Structure formats: C-alpha cells, structure tokens
Amino acid sequence: MRFSNKALVVSALISGIAFSCEQKRSPFDVSPAESMDPSRLEEPFPVVQLPEGIDMESPIWKGIDLSPKPPVVPLSANEQKKSFVLHPGYQIDPVLSEPQIKEPAAIQFDGNGRMYVLELRTYMQDLDANGELLPTSQISRWEDLDDDGVYETGTVFLDSLVFPRYVVPFGPNSILSMESNEDHVYKYTDTDGDGQADKKELFASGLGRSGNVEHQTSFLTWTLDNWMYSTYNSKRIRWTPNGVVIQEPSGNPWGQWGVTQDNYGQQWFQDGAGGVPQGFQFPIVYGNFSVKGGLKEGFREPFSLVKLFDFQPGMQEAKPDGSLRNVTGAAGNDVFRGDRLPADLVNQYIYGEPVGRIIRRIETEKVEGLSYLQNVYREEQSEFIQSTDPLFRPVDMATAPDGTLYIVDMYRGIIQEGEWTQDGSYLRTKIQQYQMDDVIGNGRIWRLSYEGMPRNTEKPRMYDETSAELVKHLEHPNGWWRDMAQQIMVMRQDKSIAPALEEMANNSENELARIHAIWTLEGLGELKAELVQSLVKDSSPKVQMQAMRAGETLYKYGNKSLAEIYREGTKDPNVDVALQALLSAYILNIDEVESLIQSTMKFNSANGIQVIGAQLLEKMEEARKVANTKFAPEEQALFVQGKSIFDSYCSTCHGPKGLGSPAGEGKLIAPAFSGSPRIQGHPEYAVKTLLHGLTGDIEGKMYEGVMIAMNSNDDKYIASVISYIRNDFGNSGSFVTPEYVAKIRQETADKEGMYTYEELSAGIPKALTALDTWKATASSTALRGVGSTRDASYGFSFKGWKTDGNQEAGMWFQVELPEAKILTEVQFDSGNEEFPVEYQVLVSNDGTEWTAVTKEIGLPGVNSSSWDATEAFKYLKIQTTQSGDKAWFMKNLTLFAR
C-alpha cells in the first residue's frame, strides 16, 4: 500500500466531468460503449472453437451452441435503469457511476453519512486475470453535498492497494482494511483533513488466508454484540479501550462475500459458489448447526431473465431457455433495516446472485426455535429484482442512512475468477462468444426507493454530536443509525451516559432501543449484573435473550453467579429463550453443562431443543477427542500443566478467559492475553516477564496489579504457562520449551529488579513489517496461480513464494532492506511437504560479501532460526545447502530485529 501525494477530489460539477462544455452530459447518460472499439459490433462476429479433447456427451458440454452472436453492449446507467423488472411501487436510480468509480465491490457509510467505496480495479481485466495482484485498487469516499440524491463529491481516501478485502469506517476519518494474501488488518487515518489517509497503524493480525481472490477473508463487520466478524475465519475479534484487539473462537461462517446482521444481532454470511446464505440459525459464536430443511424445497432455483447459458457449471445447470437452473455465484448481502421502504421488507434477508443477474429477497419462518428460509417470490417464479441486462452484476447491498437500500453493481462482462476461465473451460467459450471480456472498468451504485416514501434527507453528523445526543439515535427507526450510534459511543468510552442507557434499557417503549442500550452498556463496561438478572425476567422474550447474551461478558470476567440465570432460562416456556439459555451455558462451559443439556432435552420436546441439544452434546464429545490430539504429546503436556497453573493462579488477575479482571472504573487488574500482540509475538517477552517481573505502565496504560517475578519456579513451570497462554483464548503461537527458558534465565542472570515495559521491549526482537521499500529477489521463482507474476515478495504473504522446480543446493531467497537492521531471527512457514532439506542464513551490508550466521535442518510447518547479533546488516539471504525431490516453498516470511 502506498499513500498518494495528493488526493483526487471530484468537484460538485458532476455534469461536466470528462465531457466538453458543449455536451455537459451527466455520467448517467454516457454509455461505456462510446469509448469501445466500434468494430466489435460489425459482422462477422467471432467464431469460437470448441476446446480440444472435450467430451460432447458430458453434462457440461452436451447441447452447447457456439454459433457467432452479436456482442453484449454496455448501456448508460439511465438506459440500464430501463432493464430492471421491479415489483409495483419500487423504483431504482443511480447515485454514482463510472467514470468516477471503477469496479465497485462493496460500500460502507461512516458516522457522518459519507460513503466509502471499495474499488477492485484489477478484478478480471482479461480472461486470464493478468495483473490481478497489482497495487492499483483503491478506496474512495463520496458525499452528496447539494442534497439532490447523487454522490457528486469524492476523494481517493486510500490508493495503491492489492485487491483490498473490505472497508470498515472506524471513527472520524479512519477506516480498517486488509489487502489480499495478507494476515494483518490496518487502520488508516486522515490526520490533516485533506480527504486522504496519511497514517497507517496495525490493528489486528491472524485474519488472513491464501487462495484466489474470491476465496479470501472479506467483510469485517462490527455487529450488535460489539464483536467483529468476517468470512472464512472461525474466530471473532473485538476492539477494547486499552488498545488490544482480543480474539475468540467461533463456528465456521462458510461465507465468501458478505456479512450482515438483523435487528437482533443474528449474523448472516453469504456463501459464494454455494449461492445460499450461511450461519443464519444462531449467532456464529456458538458454532455451526445443521437443520434439516433449513433451506426449503425450491430455494436454490433462481428466476433469471438473462438466457445466455453463460455460467461455469455449463449446460447441466441451464434451464431449457438458457437461464440459470440453480444459484451458483452469490455475492453481497443485507438484512434490510431501514425506514423508507415498505415495512414488510424490514428484517428480511436480501442478497445478490450476479451470475443470474438478480437480487433475492428471503423470508424466515421460525418453527420451534429453528429457522427455515424461502424465496419470497417462489410461487410467482420471480425474484425481488431482475434485469434483462447481461452486465448487471449485483455484488453488495446496504441499508443506507437515508432509509433506502443501496445496491453495488460491478456492471461488467466477467464475474468469475480466472481459475474458472482458463483455456479449455466452458465459461471461457461463452465469454468469447459474446465478447464479454471487453466490458471492464465500469460500475454503478443504485438506490432502491418506494413510491410515496421519500428518502430521509437528514444527514448524519454523529462524529460532531455529544454522547448524550447519540443515545437518542438508539430509538431511530433505521437500524443503520442505531448501529453507528452504538459503535461510536462504545469507541468513545464516555461513561457519563450510563444512567441514561440504563433508563432506556429498563423503560423505553421501543424494544430495539432497549436492546441497543443493553449492548452499549456492555461495550462501555458499565453493564451491571443486577440489570442482567432483572432483564432476563422481562416480558419481552427478545430482551430476555439479549440480556442473556450480554451477561456472558460478565461471566467471562469472573461473575460466576450468573450461571444461575442460564440454568433457570432453560426451563422457560418460550423455546427461543430456552435455546438461548442452553447456548449461553454451553459456550460459557458452566458447571455440569452437559447434564443441563441432557435434562433440558428430557423435559422439553420442542424440535429446536432436541436438534440443537443433540448437536451440542456431539460438539462436547468431539472437543474432548480433539483436546487429546490437537498438539504433539510434549506440547500437550505443557498445555495441560500451563492451564492448571493459569486457572489456579494467573486467572485471578488476568481473568478466567484471559480478558483481564475488572478493577472498577473501566480499569483492569492485569492486561488481557486474548489477541495480545505481546503474548503472540516473540516468546522472549513473556519469558523475561515471568522470570523478572514487570512494573509500571504498558504502552501508556496503567493496571491495578503488578507482575511479580516467578523465577523461583523451574523452567518447565514457566514454559508451560507461556505455552498455554500463547495457545488459548483465541491465540495461536509456538510453544516455549524448558530449554529456551533456561537459556533466557542464564542470559539475564545478572538482571536486578523488575523490568519496565520500555526497558523490556527495547531488548526484545521485534517482527519487522514487510514494506513496499523492501526488495525481494530469488534464484528461482514459480508462478503462484492465475493472475500472479514471478514475484519473490509473495514470500512475505499467505500466497507464498516457491522455486520453479525441485530445490537444489545453492538456491536462495534474498531480502534487501532500505536501511540496516540488527537482524536476529527469521521465521517462515513451508507447509507440510515443500520445506528446505537444509538451509543457512547469511547477512551482508553490500549484497556481495556474505557472512553465514546460522545453519538449520528444514522442518515441516514453521521454521525458525535465530542467532546472536550486535551488528546491523542491510541484506539477508536464505540459501539451501542440500538438494531435494520437492520444490522449496515459503510463506509468511518474517524477519526479527533488535
């Protein structure tokens, strides 16, 4: 990622952009076809040949028609508008389009109503995805300053990005984002108010994954429970006032492109290739549950008006008329929660199916605690929104501050990643037949409105409002206003509003306002056990359930007396309440929870209790099996001993769930371990802390307790505690051996007194962040999939670097730093098979004269090599010293320096 020297600001004179004064046409009236080669419209049209060696009798190819066809022609936004088929009363209008934006894939609104647009400008610019990982994507920000409903004023907030995964507004002039093939989420801030981010800070790590660009983490989303969820990750993360981003395990979301929530905090994840929503039964933190018939019969059948047979499953998924038989490429989702569309749409799930060129509307039927989904228009054989334009590609949608629904339309020919458009593929032939690969670089954002329900023209100004003013927004009929007000109040940590929130939670006539008040109190650290105990007896089952969920936080911080509300809750005659109590008891692992589940199943015959109860018992049995096999025997021994020590000693200050124990007034006795970069970082930090103690502030934050020296305990004791806290509470780190502790103990034997944080951190090897200014080269570099280049710098990411052929002695991977550093350690992950047989690490100051500092035997998985260093070097080289029968692979290469 690079910062531009100057933000590109688009003037309010939208009608004149890119056009002469004589024309003064709106961009909505200009067709992309005007800038395309007109010869594509001339006959003869391309003759597409069948790939060699295909089986014409296979279900994929049988019946295919590749006769020459006229090309698909892009329309202006106003012409495209005529292609939509809407239900009575609805209307759709563009609010932003090309050339101002290109390849939009997602939108988010900040607390002042400004719209951030994620522009994936390298997505499928040709059939082979060439250049897809070039750093040319961006995030722009847009406003409607003249109140005409069109977003005419914008700025490039962040540019030079490698296929960014999401944009999350995070306070005034700040966003969160992550690039493809990376593991780190960064916070980007505009500090001088010029509309462009100029500050980059690490926010969280451990959320990335490798794979093609359609199969990586997306849509980090702050939800009602003050946690953030994303696709693919079986974990959730949470910002805390002390700056630590904590993590907890969750179920597998199975989502691909889209995360949203309903009015009651139920998350929905949008599957891609499966074409259906996921995770909609219960909040994903409780795990995954299988419900027979959760998708009703016929749910997967789309009703598309585009009949080009142009989808990768081929002829086997085509209806006789050429339209799509089953949903296959869904993207983007929203539970509509606005107030300027019909009330029957509120809290219903909406998602895009860009392969079918449709937007689907889903109704949920709740039966005995379980959810069952169906297309609202199934009987009519229709969809919520249809289009006859083959280029309509809905990839995201969002409830807007104005109370309507916004739809992101990539408006392009290809809507499938390059893995599925290669030579010999069915889809490639259909793209070529209609010349769809020509249509790139466009994109529209639409507003769906309803006759007689004008959009809300009140502009949010939440960043400028007092906390007391924000409390009032919790009663707003538009869920976007409630969500954003809650988030801002939680981030401000202004505890003076707690009495007003308690009053709202207890007495408001607005059920949704009461629920948001509960969670805002929870986020402020001001939720009291007495309020939870009162609200679990409320007349509203929804309020009861939210009080139980919010009460989980208090239990995790040590209030075990709340276990009784969950035991009693399982007896509630309302099956939804009883189920919530059961789920909370399970996730908190309260005493004798297994017996509680069994007894609840015995006395409550509701299908939800029986189905979910049985699966909870299965999960508990499976967890017992996994616990015995998750780690190697010697690691398991350290983990078990460490947990025993932690539970009996450390948890008093650090909290039973590693979240820190409250000390009153929002303070903690000791720091949280969950998600802590200090704990998950270099193990030397934790070892030195336990050996010699730590006093004073930590990164500017004071804690009530003091970490005393534990050096009277033996090396195994200290190794086990550190190994445990590095591998529980959502953390994942290397184990620490007693031998390593002994080494540090000997090296610091002369240390007198406790460390201060400044003293300790100054001597700990720190992981260096790979920057654009680093230069990576290698003796051999293989291509790493469709759209990749022979770029050695992939070694720093999840995508990884690999030799082009089997490893040979003398092969090397070299890093040139912009300035010399005192390098002390290198780590990389080689997977289970393609690790170096043997390697050495060398350093240099000129790239010519090299000094070997260590030699190692390669291992499956993470390889680590360290050495004593006092001199700074600019170059580092990893070189194989033996040949092998497999390639040499490295990902997540990390350099450490003192």
Side-chain angles (χ1 to χ4, degrees):
M1 169 266 171
R2 303 177 183 85
F3 295 119
S4 295
N5 292 325
K6 184 177 180 181
L8 171 64
V9 178
V10 182
S11 79
L13 300 176
I14 190 169
S15 61
I17 295 178
F19 308 108
S20 69
C21 295
E22 290 76 15
Q23 293 175 307
K24 286 192 176 180
R25 291 190 295 167
S26 162
F28 302 154
D29 289 325
V30 179
S31 167
E34 295 179 24
S35 60
M36 297 175 70
D37 184 352
S39 66
R40 69 190 296 268
L41 303 176
E42 300 172 358
E43 296 190 64
F45 300 122
V47 176
V48 180
Q49 301 296 326
L50 287 166
E52 293 184 8
I54 63 168
D55 179 5
M56 287 300 295
E57 292 301 312
S58 74
I60 295 175
W61 294 95
K62 188 174 182 178
I64 187 173
D65 174 13
L66 287 180
S67 60
K69 302 288 185 182
V72 169
V73 179
L75 305 173
S76 68
N78 282 335
E79 283 297 314
Q80 183 195 0
K81 177 178 172 180
K82 302 173 186 177
S83 76
F84 290 109
V85 177
L86 307 175
H87 291 271
Y90 286 96
Q91 61 189 51
I92 195 167
D93 296 284
V95 299
L96 185 63
S97 75
E98 76 282 339
Q100 285 82 1
I101 56 172
K102 295 182 179 181
E103 311 290 10
I107 56 172
Q108 288 287 330
F109 299 91
D110 74 5
N112 281 358
R114 297 173 295 191
M115 181 171 66
Y116 287 89
V117 181
L118 188 77
E119 299 184 46
L120 302 181
R121 293 189 167 209
T122 59
Y123 178 68
M124 292 304 294
Q125 297 301 291
D126 61 26
L127 276 162
D128 299 308
N130 286 310
E132 196 160 62
L133 296 177
L134 292 176
T136 55
S137 291
Q138 66 183 39
I139 295 170
S140 55
R141 190 179 72 193
W142 297 85
E143 297 180 77
D144 172 16
L145 294 181
D146 58 7
D147 297 326
D148 66 350
V150 173
Y151 288 74
E152 80 293 327
T153 303
T155 177
V156 179
F157 187 82
L158 188 62
D159 66 1
S160 302
L161 297 171
V162 177
F163 213 96
R165 309 309 306 173
Y166 43 74
V167 54
V168 182
F170 204 72
N173 298 315
S174 291
I175 63 169
L176 305 178
S177 192
M178 181 173 75
E179 296 179 86
S180 288
N181 297 311
E182 290 296 337
D183 196 31
H184 306 299
V185 181
Y186 288 97
K187 178 182 177 183
Y188 300 92
T189 303
D190 169 18
T191 64
D192 57 12
D194 67 351
Q196 179 195 12
D198 49 54
K199 183 179 181 182
K200 178 181 180 180
E201 304 168 270
L202 180 65
F203 178 75
S205 296
L207 294 180
R209 59 175 271 154
S210 60
N212 70 61
V213 294
E214 290 186 2
H215 292 170
Q216 296 190 39
T217 302
S218 71
F219 280 78
L220 187 65
T221 303
W222 181 310
T223 61
L224 179 68
D225 60 8
N226 298 315
W227 287 83
M228 304 179 80
Y229 301 81
S230 60
T231 64
Y232 285 112
N233 284 307
S234 297
K235 67 173 72 174
R236 60 179 186 171
I237 68 172
R238 177 170 178 151
W239 171 88
T240 64
N242 61 16
V244 175
V245 176
I246 61 176
Q247 303 182 8
E248 282 189 353
S250 72
N252 189 330
W254 296 113
Q256 187 168 327
W257 193 259
V259 180
T260 189
Q261 66 171 342
D262 67 15
N263 278 334
Y264 303 98
Q266 171 62 55
Q267 302 97 16
W268 294 68
F269 300 87
Q270 186 52 53
D271 193 3
V276 298
Q278 299 282 358
F280 55 84
Q281 290 290 347
F282 302 100
I284 197 68
V285 67
Y286 301 118
N288 299 100
F289 298 94
S290 175
V291 175
K292 184 178 181 181
L295 301 177
K296 293 184 180 182
E297 184 178 355
F299 179 92
R300 293 177 179 271
E301 182 184 7
F303 299 99
S304 172
L305 302 180
V306 176
K307 305 170 182 180
L308 299 181
F309 296 89
D310 63 329
F311 23 81
Q312 179 49 32
M315 297 300 295
Q316 61 188 336
E317 287 295 348
K319 294 180 180 180
D321 66 357
S323 63
L324 187 64
R325 183 186 302 275
N326 284 294
V327 288
T328 183
N333 59 352
D334 185 53
V335 174
F336 180 71
R337 300 167 61 214
D339 60 334
R340 298 305 170 103
L341 292 177
D344 62 359
L345 186 64
V346 174
N347 222 37
Q348 288 196 339
Y349 185 71
I350 299 168
Y351 75 95
E353 216 294 5
V355 175
R357 290 81 164 183
I358 57 175
I359 294 177
R360 315 198 82 201
R361 175 181 173 184
I362 307 305
E363 61 183 354
T364 303
E365 181 183 12
K366 200 84 166 180
V367 181
E368 295 188 13
L370 302 177
S371 296
Y372 301 87
L373 309 186
Q374 185 56 284
N375 171 12
V376 170
Y377 305 100
R378 168 73 187 166
E379 291 187 5
E380 302 173 32
Q381 296 195 358
S382 185
E383 300 288 351
F384 184 42
I385 298 177
Q386 298 166 298
S387 175
T388 58
D389 189 337
L391 301 175
F392 175 52
R393 304 295 196 177
V395 294
D396 190 28
M397 45 230 47
T399 300
D402 66 13
T404 66
L405 181 72
Y406 281 30
I407 297 162
V408 179
D409 173 11
M410 260 186 147
Y411 202 70
R412 63 186 347 271
I414 305 176
I415 199 66
Q416 184 63 275
E417 211 271 336
E419 296 279 356
W420 293 273
T421 62
Q422 297 183 46
D423 281 331
S425 67
Y426 171 94
L427 184 56
R428 189 181 186 101
T429 65
K430 301 303 291 188
I431 292 170
Q432 292 171 325
Q433 182 181 25
Y434 292 100
Q435 301 181 53
M436 285 192 281
D437 51 319
D438 293 346
V439 187
I440 57 174
N442 307 305
R444 288 93 193 258
I445 298 173
W446 302 89
R447 175 191 290 116
L448 184 71
S449 57
Y450 195 82
E451 184 178 316
M453 300 181 73
R455 63 186 175 87
N456 180 6
T457 56
E458 177 188 3
K459 290 188 176 181
R461 288 292 181 264
M462 295 192 198
Y463 296 139
D464 308 319
E465 292 180 307
T466 66
S467 298
E469 290 172 323
L470 292 175
V471 172
K472 299 175 184 178
H473 293 321
L474 300 184
E475 295 184 311
H476 201 286
N478 183 343
W480 178 86
W481 286 73
R482 300 193 300 271
D483 289 352
M484 184 54 67
Q486 175 183 320
Q487 178 183 331
I488 295 172
M489 285 187 284
V490 169
M491 293 183 67
R492 281 186 186 174
Q493 288 292 296
D494 180 357
K495 300 179 188 301
S496 69
I497 58 176
L501 292 167
E502 288 183 358
E503 171 66 21
M504 181 177 286
N506 277 314
N507 301 315
S508 175
E509 296 181 359
N510 184 324
E511 181 182 74
L512 295 176
R514 298 181 68 195
I515 289 170
H516 278 278
I518 293 169
W519 283 109
T520 306
L521 285 166
E522 189 269 355
L524 290 173
E526 292 293 310
L527 181 66
K528 296 180 173 60
E530 295 77 15
L531 180 61
V532 171
Q533 290 164 334
S534 171
L535 294 179
V536 295
K537 301 174 183 176
D538 196 83
S539 60
S540 164
K542 297 291 189 185
V543 171
Q544 288 180 267
M545 294 165 65
Q546 297 299 328
M548 287 182 183
R549 289 190 62 200
E552 294 171 13
T553 301
L554 303 185
Y555 186 95
K556 291 174 187 175
Y557 278 104
N559 193 335
K560 298 296 182 70
S561 67
L562 290 178
E564 192 58 29
I565 70 172
Y566 304 116
R567 292 192 183 95
E568 288 299 312
T570 61
K571 304 172 187 176
D572 198 283
N574 183 299
V575 66
D576 294 323
V577 174
L579 266 172
Q580 179 59 60
L582 213 57
L583 291 168
S584 293
Y586 161 76
I587 202 66
L588 295 173
N589 194 27
I590 68 172
D591 290 342
E592 300 182 357
V593 64
E594 194 164 7
S595 296
L596 179 65
I597 296 171
Q598 292 168 341
S599 63
T600 304
M601 293 175 67
K602 181 177 180 180
F603 293 106
N604 191 330
S605 61
N607 191 42
I609 295 291
Q610 298 301 312
V611 169
I612 302 307
Q615 291 182 45
L616 290 177
L617 293 174
E618 290 173 3
K619 291 175 188 294
M620 296 177 75
E621 178 61 28
E622 182 63 26
R624 282 191 285 268
K625 294 178 181 178
V626 170
N628 294 324
T629 59
K630 182 177 181 181
F631 305 118
E634 61 275 13
E635 294 175 339
Q636 180 69 16
L638 288 170
F639 185 90
V640 171
Q641 180 181 352
K643 177 173 172 52
S644 176
I645 295 169
F646 179 87
D647 289 344
S648 61
Y649 191 80
C650 312
S651 63
T652 303
C653 296
H654 293 283
K657 299 292 184 180
L659 300 174
S661 292
E665 298 182 354
K667 295 182 179 180
L668 297 175
I669 297 176
F673 288 152
S674 173
S676 169
R678 298 184 298 273
I679 296 302
Q680 296 184 98
H682 201 283
E684 187 175 315
Y685 174 91
V687 174
K688 286 184 173 179
T689 298
L690 262 69
L691 285 174
H692 300 289
L694 184 63
T695 187
D697 68 279
I698 300 176
E699 296 181 338
K701 299 176 181 65
M702 292 299 299
Y703 297 89
E704 294 293 303
V706 174
M707 180 65 213
I708 63 173
M710 306 288 289
N711 53 10
S712 61
N713 297 286
D714 63 23
D715 297 333
K716 185 178 180 183
Y717 179 104
I718 292 175
S720 65
V721 172
I722 296 173
S723 294
Y724 171 69
I725 64 176
R726 283 168 62 85
N727 287 280
D728 202 359
F729 318 123
N731 297 338
S732 179
S734 60
F735 277 70
V736 173
T737 65
E739 292 76 16
Y740 181 77
V741 175
K743 176 177 177 291
I744 302 298
R745 188 191 293 266
Q746 182 178 358
E747 291 175 352
T748 60
D750 295 334
K751 167 65 181 171
E752 295 181 0
M754 295 182 179
Y755 284 105
T756 64
Y757 176 73
E758 290 73 18
E759 176 191 9
L760 177 60
S761 60
I764 300 298
K766 296 178 178 62
L768 302 178
T769 301
L771 303 173
D772 296 330
T773 51
W774 289 21
K775 183 178 180 181
T777 54
S779 57
S780 170
T781 300
L783 292 172
R784 298 293 294 133
V786 173
S788 68
T789 58
R790 297 184 188 275
D791 185 352
S793 67
Y794 289 158
F796 301 122
S797 73
F798 265 105
K799 195 172 192 68
W801 161 88
K802 186 163 71 171
T803 57
D804 193 5
N806 292 343
Q807 56 186 288
E808 299 175 4
M811 284 183 164
W812 51 267
F813 183 100
Q814 178 178 311
V815 182
E816 178 185 350
L817 303 175
E819 58 184 21
K821 298 283 186 181
I822 302 176
L823 301 170
T824 64
E825 188 171 340
V826 61
Q827 289 183 6
F828 57 87
D829 187 344
S830 286
N832 292 327
E833 295 185 355
E834 295 176 318
F835 53 91
V837 176
E838 185 182 75
Y839 67 95
Q840 62 179 344
V841 179
L842 306 99
V843 292
S844 171
N845 262 323
D846 59 9
T848 302
E849 298 293 328
W850 294 90
T851 300
V853 291
T854 184
K855 191 173 184 178
E856 308 284 352
I857 301 296
L859 300 170
V862 176
N863 286 258
S864 179
S865 183
S866 61
W867 56 94
D868 294 328
T870 56
E871 184 180 350
F873 290 95
K874 189 174 181 180
Y875 295 83
L876 179 140
K877 181 190 291 184
I878 307 171
Q879 186 175 51
T880 55
T881 54
Q882 289 189 26
S883 299
D885 58 2
K886 295 184 182 297
W888 170 24
F889 169 71
M890 294 194 303
K891 68 177 181 179
N892 296 336
L893 173 63
T894 304
L895 308 186
F896 290 83
R898 293 189 188 274

